[in-house]
Amino acid sequence: MSQTLNVALIGQKFMGRVHSNAYLNAGRFFNLPIQPVMHTIAGLDLISLAPFADRWGWANYSTNWKEIVKDPALDLIDVSTPNYMHAEQAVAALSAGKHVACEKPLAGTLKDARMMRNAAARAKKCRTFVWFNYRRCPAVALAYKLISGGRLGKLYHVRARYLQDWAGPDHPLTWRFQKKYAGTGAHGDLNSHMIDLARFLTGDEISEVSGALGENFISEREVIEPRPKTGGARRGANRRKKPKQGKSDVDDAMMFLCRFSKGAIGSFEASRLASGHANDNSIEISGEHGAIRFSFEEMNRLFFYDHTESRDTAGWREVMCTSAGNHPYAGAWWPDGHVIGYENTFVNMVADMMAIIAGDDPIVPMPDFADAYETQRVLEAASLAAKSRSAVKLTEVK
Ligand code: SOE
């Protein structure tokens, strides 16, 4: 019988569902040294909390996160709330001696992220985790093993993009479009994933950012009216009235160039208005001896080019990353060729979180608050570079 660990999750929306699924299933697919127990779900919307708890298997529910983070019965607090709440909730949980798993980006602002990194450094017995889940696609983890094993040789290029198209003019003014809640728009939301992947895969740090360009294409969006006490629809409840408009003050798209400290150069692009791209997060890394390419919409494959092969037969290989024993995480899932999906990356992450808490190694390295703070510094450097229309060295961003 393995040890158990009581988990509370704060957040009951998209990430709340994804994380719930991960806690529920990690022990069914992996032999975990510690079993997560789904103790409490916390959220603001009381009406939907009880059915949520029931559907996903949470034993308790609460609308009071301040009590939850201090509850002696709990061991791990999962912060899956809008960016502006991360710092207060994570710091409170760390101060109460809990392990903390936080959604990405670490925070909306560098100041909040710094506070979180410092709180984590003070809480020596607590482990921290940041849900940069794409590291745990088997294909990405394989790319990490190839690159860190020297298969690409010296690295020259990183080309990263994260394109989505869900945020057209009809999309209402949710927290993601307001600086006071989100910090930035597509930049923090999407470039944070790509910066994390680039740092993880290259094992290198970004040393300078330049050529940064952000754009807010849709500056007014429909305000969401508070839910009426009786329940029912929130948006456009009274269609005869002209819907109230509010200001969206974050970037809808953001691009930048960068240098890595060991000499590679990189380009990044994030957009929520790239028509035709639903969740296209792609990265290509070119080195002296070869290249890798990954695209989330084909997440079970890694594209690999061996530049040491003779040109007569050389070409991009599509490696299906589903083989137990050969591909990281694949052994926990289905027989070879039976592909996995988005949610599995979060299950893989819970398995690695439990390994780390037990003192074992994760299958591939895990971003903690100190690591995610470095990603946040790059986000900040790019924002500063866009504002000043000049290059910004990372040494200038503390
Ligand atoms: C919305 O853009 C979002 O849900 C991001 O917040 C996630 O991190 C990304 O993986 C999918 O898209």
Side-chain angles (χ1 to χ4, degrees):
M1 183 62 184
S2 61
Q3 266 179 271
T4 57
L5 177 124
N6 285 341
V7 180
L9 167 62
I10 316 175
Q12 56 182 125
K13 297 288 170 58
F14 175 20
M15 284 306 124
R17 293 169 63 224
V18 175
H19 295 194
S20 297
N21 177 67
Y23 293 116
L24 190 61
N25 285 307
R28 295 177 171 153
F29 288 92
F30 289 83
N31 294 319
L32 301 179
I34 299 179
Q35 291 296 333
V37 174
M38 298 174 71
H39 188 285
T40 301
I41 175 76
L44 290 176
D45 184 13
L46 185 59
I47 296 174
S48 58
L49 264 179
F52 186 101
D54 193 42
R55 171 181 286 231
W56 290 103
W58 292 98
N60 308 286
Y61 62 88
S62 166
T63 52
N64 189 340
W65 70 260
K66 289 191 178 168
E67 267 174 18
I68 297 302
V69 295
K70 287 189 292 196
D71 185 340
L74 291 162
D75 304 300
L76 169 75
I77 307 295
D78 185 330
V79 175
S80 293
T81 48
N83 302 346
Y84 74 102
M85 302 177 93
H86 291 183
E88 191 186 358
Q89 294 176 338
V91 172
L94 287 166
S95 308
K98 316 293 183 194
H99 303 295
V100 179
C102 184
E103 252 308 321
K104 47 53 61 179
L106 184 56
T109 65
L110 188 63
K111 187 168 165 240
D112 276 6
R114 189 180 309 116
M115 221 154 50
M116 295 169 76
R117 179 204 59 178
N118 294 346
R122 283 194 303 272
K124 302 225 177 320
K125 291 195 184 137
C126 307
R127 306 305 303 241
T128 57
F129 312 95
V130 181
W131 290 93
F132 282 118
N133 60 299
Y134 296 109
R135 284 191 188 198
R136 284 170 171 69
C137 296
V140 173
L142 175 64
Y144 167 79
K145 298 218 156 164
L146 292 174
I147 297 171
S148 57
R151 196 75 184 265
L152 304 195
K154 183 174 167 48
L155 303 181
Y156 297 132
H157 294 286
V158 174
R159 291 176 210 93
R161 68 178 204 189
Y162 199 148
L163 306 181
Q164 298 184 337
D165 63 1
W166 53 271
D170 290 343
H171 197 90
L173 188 67
T174 60
W175 68 270
R176 290 179 185 277
F177 298 94
Q178 299 178 67
K179 193 171 173 189
K180 64 183 174 190
Y181 300 133
T184 61
H187 186 46
D189 191 27
L190 304 179
N191 273 333
S192 65
H193 275 301
M194 304 322 288
I195 296 166
D196 176 70
L197 282 186
R199 294 180 52 246
F200 165 61
L201 287 173
T202 61
D204 199 358
E205 292 296 345
I206 291 171
S207 55
E208 183 181 305
V209 171
S210 60
L213 199 61
E215 188 58 55
N216 167 286
F217 292 104
I218 299 164
S219 58
E220 298 234 306
R221 291 178 181 272
E222 183 182 337
V223 171
I224 306 171
E225 300 297 344
R227 187 199 284 271
K229 288 265 179 301
T230 51
R234 299 165 77 185
R235 233 188 121 197
N238 185 346
R239 284 279 169 215
R240 274 167 303 165
K241 275 204 233 144
K242 187 169 182 296
K244 199 169 145 207
Q245 299 290 303
K247 194 167 160 45
S248 164
D249 54 0
V250 297
D251 59 282
D252 295 310
M254 173 87 168
M255 303 157 86
F256 68 92
L257 305 176
C258 71
R259 288 188 181 281
F260 288 79
S261 61
K262 293 182 193 148
I265 56 175
S267 65
F268 288 76
E269 178 180 7
S271 177
R272 292 168 169 167
L273 291 170
S275 309
H277 297 271
N279 195 39
D280 173 4
N281 107 38
S282 305
I283 187 162
E284 183 167 321
I285 300 180
S286 327
E288 183 187 8
H289 303 313
I292 62 93
R293 191 168 78 224
F294 168 79
S295 188
F296 179 71
E297 289 180 357
E298 292 179 89
M299 67 164 280
N300 286 274
R301 293 168 203 267
L302 180 69
F303 291 80
F304 172 60
Y305 183 82
D306 185 346
H307 198 40
T308 63
E309 263 184 45
S310 159
R311 271 284 194 219
D312 54 359
T313 54
W316 283 94
R317 291 181 204 157
E318 289 184 28
V319 183
M320 187 76 155
C321 298
T322 51
S323 166
N326 295 303
H327 299 132
Y329 302 103
W333 296 103
W334 313 116
D336 207 349
H338 294 71
V339 293
I340 62 167
Y342 175 68
E343 71 279 19
N344 303 76
T345 64
F346 292 83
V347 181
N348 293 346
M349 178 138 166
V350 168
D352 278 340
M353 281 163 40
M354 296 305 123
I356 290 171
I357 292 172
D360 299 337
D361 286 333
I363 293 178
V364 293
M366 171 76 72
D368 61 9
F369 282 12
D371 187 331
Y373 179 69
E374 297 308 314
T375 291
Q376 196 88 30
R377 285 178 65 227
V378 179
L379 287 172
E380 179 75 5
S383 296
L384 293 172
K387 206 167 163 196
S388 65
R389 299 184 177 212
S390 62
V392 172
K393 290 205 184 324
L394 263 289
T395 48
E396 297 164 32
V397 183
K398 298 282 186 239

